[in-house]
Amino acid sequence: MPQALRGSPSPSGPRTETIAQDLGLSGTVENQKPYDVRIVAEGEEEALHAFVEGLKVERGPIRVRDLLVRWSEATGEFPYFQILRGDWQEELVERFDVSAWLLYRSIEIGEENLALGRENVAIGRENLAIGKMMLDKQDQMLDKQETTISILRNIKEDTSEIGAIKEEVSAARYEARREREEIISTLKSGSLEEKYEELSREIR
């Protein structure tokens, strides 16, 4: 059920108006002498609690030292949330507060961007280190490839030598088989004894 919130914090009017509008609240905010601000807000209870939490600020030129809150039934008299301004001097002070808040916020954003920049630099350095490691690994892989190619070339040369040796062995085996076959043929034909007798006669 819609409820009303009435209090006297000390936030900036435009900032209060922005928070209220974001939460869908209606009501008013106006400066009270000497340093207070009076706020009347109506809306859903959950949104009003979020509104109260949003008013608790101690940052930059805004310092909410105390927050007095009273709850009551909503009247529905406010069509939207607005700032009730006083004389021109009061409005000038209000605008100065807004300018101070914007300046402080810009400083905060600058510091946040600076922090992000430092993080990006750190990430860039890490990426650079990773890139160097990858290049080193690629160099190692290239060295291994060159070594492998050299070994393959040596193996090819050794294979050629082995082929020549195999050819020589094959030729020797062929010659041995041929001589063996001649000996067997001679033994079978009996011509070996005739040759032996011929040699014996010649010796005598």
Side-chain angles (χ1 to χ4, degrees):
M1 186 175 91
Q3 294 190 355
L5 177 149
R6 301 173 187 274
S8 300
S10 301
S12 167
R15 180 179 177 279
T16 303
E17 183 183 33
T18 299
I19 297 173
Q21 290 174 350
D22 290 342
L23 293 171
L25 303 178
S26 60
T28 61
V29 55
E30 61 178 327
N31 290 328
Q32 298 280 302
K33 294 181 180 180
Y35 305 108
D36 293 336
V37 174
R38 181 175 181 271
I39 297 174
V40 178
E42 293 184 355
E44 297 297 328
E45 183 176 357
E46 184 177 353
L48 289 171
H49 281 290
F51 181 62
V52 172
E53 292 300 317
L55 296 177
K56 297 177 181 178
V57 178
E58 288 193 12
R59 187 174 56 184
I62 299 176
R63 294 287 188 272
V64 179
R65 302 299 183 187
D66 194 11
L67 188 62
L68 303 177
V69 180
R70 291 188 297 110
W71 295 86
S72 62
E73 293 295 328
T75 63
E77 60 182 297
F78 306 106
Y80 52 88
F81 198 93
Q82 62 177 331
I83 300 173
L84 300 180
R85 303 186 185 279
D87 56 24
W88 67 270
Q89 292 178 338
E90 184 177 328
E91 184 174 352
L92 182 62
V93 172
E94 179 73 21
R95 293 184 182 276
F96 176 78
D97 288 342
V98 173
S99 300
W101 166 254
L102 292 175
L103 176 61
Y104 181 79
R105 183 56 187 151
S106 66
I107 293 173
E108 278 189 329
I109 293 173
E111 291 176 349
E112 291 172 0
N113 290 335
L114 181 60
L116 289 174
R118 289 173 178 170
E119 290 180 3
N120 290 333
V121 170
I123 292 172
R125 288 176 178 172
E126 291 178 0
N127 291 335
L128 182 60
I130 292 172
K132 289 181 178 178
M133 290 175 61
M134 292 179 65
L135 288 175
D136 291 339
K137 288 184 178 180
Q138 288 179 352
D139 290 339
Q140 293 175 5
M141 291 178 65
L142 289 174
D143 292 339
K144 289 181 179 179
Q145 288 177 354
E146 290 178 357
T147 302
T148 303
I149 291 172
S150 177
I151 292 172
L152 290 174
R153 286 175 179 170
N154 292 333
I155 291 174
K156 185 177 180 181
E157 292 176 358
D158 293 341
T159 303
S160 300
E161 293 179 1
I162 291 171
I165 293 171
K166 284 183 177 181
E167 290 178 358
E168 292 178 1
V169 171
S170 297
R173 285 180 178 176
Y174 175 78
E175 186 65 23
R177 287 195 192 99
R178 189 182 63 78
E179 291 178 356
R180 180 174 177 273
E181 290 174 356
E182 288 180 357
I183 293 171
I184 292 172
S185 177
T186 302
L187 289 173
K188 286 182 178 180
S189 64
S191 60
L192 184 62
E193 293 180 358
E194 294 176 357
K195 288 183 179 181
Y196 177 75
E197 290 178 358
E198 289 178 0
L199 289 173
S200 297
R201 292 191 198 100
E202 291 177 0
I203 293 171
R204 290 175 186 173

